[in-house]
Amino acid sequence: MTPQTQDSLNYIGGRWRPSGSNRLIESVDPATSEIVGRASPGSSLLADEAARAARSAFEKSLWQGSPRLRAEILLEFAARLEDRKKWLSELIVRENGKIRAQAIHEISAGCSEAKYYAGLARSVFGRTTETGPGNFSFLTREPAGVVAVVVPWNAPVTLLVRSVAPALAAGCSVVVKPAPQTPLVNSEVIRCFDEIENLPAGVVNSVNENGVEVADALVTHPEVDVISFTGSSKTGKIVMEKAAAGVKRVSLELGGKSPAIVFDDADMDAAVAEIRRAAIALTGQMCTAVSRVLVQESAAREFGRRLKAEFESVKVGNGLSAGIEMGPLIDRANQQRVLRIVERAGIEGELILRGRVPEGDLATGAFVTPTIFRIDDVEHPLIQEELFGPIVSLETFADETDAIGAANSTKYGLAASVYTGNIGRAMRLSRKLKFGTVWINSHNRLFAEAETGGYRESGIGRLHGVEGLNDFLETKHIYVEAGSS
């Protein structure tokens, strides 16, 4: 079986729908600039239909009161997604540029997420307390309603499932708004739901983007109760502001500026290898990717030499080719954006390793090799801002206090990692670092069972884990005076 390249349509109320427009959105392979397929653009009218279909399914079907059905649906979805792994992973590579191994891992993670929440679907418990003789308070947990899920392009399977799975497990209905760069992958994931006979029509819907029209319509729609958004902090603030008019609940996973903190007693070989892997994951287009490397002064020169050598050895190319470690950026516009950042880093700081556009066959794609730069001013915009590419800053610190201050110096707080042979030191830092996740002697270890989320401008709420259900559940108090006699 070969990857699906048919037009991506909108999915509303259990039916695939074209937009009615003659204009189709082209999906382009960032490694070759070839057209992979086309998508029928959505609209505010289709978003309205999808939200109303989701509301009807939520209110009129048995969905919200059927936890065993919800578990069965999620398990069947996981099985269908697993069946598509081989060729869907190729479609992911062709549509967003990541390497094949990462695409396969992404699908496996989506399957794991769906299976995990299938189990939790049957384990949503309330509590009871006797507030006085014969007086009982029942606290129930109920689905919040209709959820709009706004999905980014960098992990179009995992980041869809990690919001949709807990929303469905809680008993909600959903409207997915995929990224315009990855509509074909989104359609194949939605197709896994469409093929499930027992899923009530309208529980799962999807509307392709058309600029920002669809997202705006869903964020402000009166039938949408919850917005689950993954994307930049800048856009997240806009979503939050627009949602405030309807007092909607928002779940936001936003930008990051993840530091890797390396002490002089760390296993240097292991630390360099781990940071190398975590910095080039998804070509650095990952909110938890290592973007700052903070090294203790006594080890900085040797560590910097090793890190440069490791970055120089990264094999860049088409993600479908054997042995490739890093693919292209998502498109040529982002390639040019990253090259401008590299140029700025060389002018306003020191380029330890300059990223460049590879020559030969790769010149037609959106490729840029890794960059390492040094700027000593922690307040410099290139240290403070999320760069979203294979670019890391190399910084130094004197001691634990200095490391904590430097790591916490940005507005972000999504993830960090600490490398040291002293577990006491590692635990001290993990408690003082203002990040939702802190890894010790590793980076980017993400599991369905373990909550992730950000401090400060990296977001609101948690995804994954038991707490991942919270954004999609309401707590209701039911009071009864039964009497004491």
Side-chain angles (χ1 to χ4, degrees):
M1 185 178 292
T2 57
Q4 180 66 264
T5 56
Q6 69 183 43
D7 289 351
S8 169
L9 303 180
N10 305 284
Y11 185 69
I12 301 172
R15 294 189 298 121
W16 293 99
R17 298 273 304 281
S19 64
S21 169
N22 292 326
R23 183 181 67 87
L24 296 178
I25 300 171
E26 293 182 342
S27 180
V28 178
D29 184 338
T32 64
S33 298
E34 297 174 350
I35 296 173
V36 182
R38 294 169 175 81
S40 182
S43 65
S44 57
L45 290 177
L46 289 174
D48 175 68
E49 286 188 41
R52 295 186 186 282
R55 173 61 62 190
S56 178
F58 180 74
E59 300 290 354
K60 298 177 182 179
S61 76
L62 298 177
W63 179 252
Q64 65 169 296
S66 305
R68 293 189 177 189
L69 173 62
R70 302 199 297 268
E72 291 171 4
I73 295 298
L74 285 169
L75 288 174
E76 186 169 350
F77 166 79
R80 292 181 181 277
L81 188 61
E82 178 73 29
D83 287 343
R84 285 168 160 79
K85 180 185 292 187
K86 184 176 180 179
W87 63 267
L88 181 55
S89 63
E90 182 175 331
L91 182 58
I92 292 172
V93 174
R94 295 177 66 207
E95 199 167 33
N96 94 336
K98 67 182 59 174
I99 64 175
R100 189 193 299 270
Q102 292 170 352
I104 291 172
H105 175 76
E106 177 179 346
I107 297 169
S108 296
C111 293
S112 175
E113 200 88 14
K115 292 175 184 177
Y116 177 75
Y117 283 107
L120 288 188
R122 297 177 63 175
S123 303
V124 180
F125 300 115
R127 68 184 194 275
T128 303
T129 183
E130 190 171 12
T131 53
N135 299 341
F136 294 92
S137 286
F138 301 94
L139 287 305
T140 65
R141 299 281 278 165
E142 300 180 356
V146 175
V147 180
V149 179
V150 181
V151 185
W153 49 259
N154 58 339
V157 175
T158 301
L159 300 186
L160 183 154
V161 179
R162 76 168 183 181
S163 289
V164 169
L168 296 183
C172 296
S173 56
V174 301
V175 181
V176 175
K177 199 290 295 180
Q181 296 90 339
T182 50
L184 304 180
V185 171
N186 180 80
S187 287
E188 291 311 308
V189 177
I190 298 300
R191 204 175 301 279
C192 293
F193 285 112
D194 180 50
E195 294 171 355
I196 301 174
E197 292 184 3
N198 293 333
L199 178 66
V203 167
V204 175
N205 308 271
S206 180
V207 182
N208 292 330
E209 187 52 276
N210 184 9
V212 296
E213 180 182 345
V214 173
D216 282 349
L218 290 174
V219 167
T220 59
H221 201 284
E223 297 294 354
V224 172
D225 302 293
V226 182
I227 300 158
S228 182
F229 171 85
T230 303
S232 71
S233 297
K234 179 181 179 180
T235 305
K237 292 175 184 179
I238 296 171
V239 168
M240 192 173 181
E241 182 179 2
K242 291 185 175 182
V247 198
K248 299 182 187 302
R249 184 183 299 186
V250 292
S251 172
L252 307 174
E253 191 193 89
L254 307 177
K257 190 73 175 177
S258 302
I261 306 167
V262 184
F263 286 88
D264 59 8
D265 65 344
D267 180 331
M268 292 298 168
D269 290 336
V272 168
E274 190 69 14
I275 291 170
R276 176 188 192 269
R277 183 191 62 79
I280 66 172
L282 312 190
T283 318
Q285 301 167 120
M286 186 177 186
C287 50
T288 59
V290 169
S291 55
R292 301 176 66 198
V293 182
L294 281 58
V295 187
Q296 196 162 20
E297 291 170 344
S298 54
R301 177 172 295 181
E302 176 63 15
F303 191 87
R305 182 188 66 79
R306 293 193 188 191
L307 190 65
K308 179 182 179 182
E310 286 295 318
F311 271 36
E312 286 176 326
S313 72
V314 172
K315 296 178 181 177
V316 178
N318 191 313
L320 295 176
S321 301
I324 295 301
E325 298 175 287
M326 192 178 85
L329 293 156
I330 186 62
D331 53 32
R332 298 299 288 269
N334 273 281
Q335 178 196 49
Q336 294 306 308
R337 177 187 61 82
V338 167
L339 290 173
R340 288 193 296 271
I341 292 172
V342 173
E343 189 67 23
R344 181 181 179 186
I347 294 172
E348 301 177 18
E350 174 193 358
L351 279 175
I352 298 170
L353 178 64
R354 176 186 287 272
R356 59 180 179 81
V357 177
E359 298 177 350
D361 293 341
L362 300 185
T364 60
F367 296 95
V368 176
T369 61
T371 293
I372 304 174
F373 71 91
R374 176 161 187 165
I375 292 178
D376 292 330
D377 179 10
V378 74
E379 298 299 325
H380 192 281
L382 293 184
I383 302 296
Q384 290 291 317
E385 296 169 2
E386 183 176 35
L387 305 181
F388 225 59
I391 310 173
V392 299
S393 59
L394 186 61
E395 307 167 46
T396 59
F397 64 88
D399 52 26
E400 287 185 30
T401 300
D402 194 22
I404 292 165
N408 288 339
S409 65
T410 73
K411 62 187 177 182
Y412 298 105
L414 191 58
S417 55
V418 179
Y419 301 82
T420 177
N422 184 330
I423 190 63
R425 168 188 282 162
M427 292 305 296
R428 284 194 300 274
L429 261 74
S430 68
R431 297 303 301 273
K432 293 182 179 180
L433 291 170
K434 297 177 182 178
F435 295 84
T437 298
V438 179
W439 294 286
I440 296 173
N441 294 323
S442 61
H443 199 97
N444 265 347
R445 301 298 196 269
L446 301 167
F447 311 98
E449 297 89 344
E451 285 80 358
T452 62
Y455 287 24
R456 298 174 289 176
E457 291 193 19
S458 284
I460 296 173
R462 290 295 181 267
L463 292 163
H464 304 299
V466 175
E467 290 185 28
L469 285 172
N470 289 347
D471 287 334
F472 309 109
L473 290 168
E474 294 280 10
T475 299
K476 177 180 288 182
H477 175 204
I478 300 173
Y479 177 72
V480 177
E481 291 187 357
S484 58
S485 60

